[in-house]
């Protein structure tokens, strides 16, 4: 099974794996970026996922597409794959359900992911679920859409 297949399997339900399982896809020098922060090294990524596991009851990714990027010989891009997904997250403390679409850029070298960057709407993920702030953000989005 190649690293992209292992990646897709792990992300089927991230709460069903241990942080140590991440070593089967990520290299020791992984750079993992999401809209909130950047994690450098497998230790930081495992710590990030450990924290997620304490807060999430379930975190499933429905992977819709995996695109392989053409790798030009002189390209400076780290990106070798682009993954489109829908995340379904259920939090433990209030059983809140969050559904979110996103995209991940991956960089694979020697069957190991060395670069992972997530793109998603942070407002949809976090801010819209904060009392009062969520109401304001939804109103702003509604005005911009009309």
């Amino acid at each position: 099974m190649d690293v992209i297949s292992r990646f897709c399997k792990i992300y089927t339900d991230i709460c069903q794996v241990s942080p140590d399982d991440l070593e089967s896809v990520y290299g020791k020098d992984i750079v993992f970026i999401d809209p909130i922060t950047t994690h450098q090294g497998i230790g930081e990524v495992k710590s990030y996922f450990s924290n997620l596991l304490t807060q999430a009851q379930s975190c499933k990714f429905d992977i819709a597409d995996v695109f392989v990027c053409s790798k030009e010989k002189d390209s400076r891009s780290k990106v070798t794959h682009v993954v489109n997904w829908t995340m379904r997250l259920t939090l433990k403390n209030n059983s809140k359900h969050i559904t979110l679409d996103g995209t991940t850029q991956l960089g694979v070298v020697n069957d190991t992911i060395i670069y992972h960057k997530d793109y998603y709407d942070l407002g949809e993920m976090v801010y819209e679920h904060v009392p009062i702030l969520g109401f304001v953000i939804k109103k702003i989005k509604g005005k911009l859409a009309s």
Side-chain angles (χ1 to χ4, degrees):
M1 186 182 310
D2 71 344
V3 71
I4 297 300
S5 298
R6 294 191 309 270
F7 172 86
C8 292
K9 184 175 180 181
I10 281 178
Y11 279 85
T12 299
D13 188 347
I14 202 72
C15 290
Q16 300 302 312
V17 299
S18 80
D20 289 335
D21 293 331
L22 299 172
E23 292 179 18
S24 72
V25 293
Y26 295 121
K28 64 180 174 108
D29 296 324
I30 179 70
V31 175
F32 187 107
I33 304 165
D34 66 20
I36 300 170
T37 190
T38 297
H39 310 279
Q40 296 191 347
I42 191 66
E44 285 187 20
V45 173
K46 287 166 63 173
S47 177
Y48 172 69
F49 276 86
S50 291
N51 184 48
L52 169 68
L53 294 173
T54 64
Q55 298 176 38
Q57 178 178 322
S58 173
C59 185
K60 298 179 180 185
F61 288 79
D62 295 326
I63 296 176
D65 307 295
V66 177
F67 298 103
V68 178
C69 303
S70 73
K71 197 68 174 156
E72 298 295 323
K73 189 175 185 178
D74 297 325
S75 174
R76 288 188 245 169
S77 175
K78 298 176 184 178
V79 178
T80 59
H81 298 78
V82 175
V83 180
N84 293 326
W85 45 262
T86 300
M87 179 187 73
R88 288 177 175 72
L89 173 66
T90 304
L91 299 175
K92 285 181 182 176
N93 59 354
N94 60 6
S95 297
K96 183 167 217 68
H97 301 285
I98 299 170
T99 300
L100 177 72
D101 292 324
T103 297
T104 299
Q105 294 178 337
L106 297 173
V108 176
V109 174
N110 298 327
D111 203 42
T112 301
I113 298 171
I114 61 163
Y115 178 78
H116 176 134
K117 186 170 184 178
D118 287 332
Y119 293 89
Y120 55 83
D121 183 343
L122 189 58
E124 193 176 347
M125 170 87 170
V126 179
Y127 305 133
E128 290 179 14
H129 303 281
V130 176
I132 301 173
L133 182 59
F135 174 79
V136 171
I137 288 174
K138 288 176 185 173
K139 283 289 194 191
I140 292 170
K141 281 185 169 182
K143 292 239 184 226
L144 292 173
S146 58

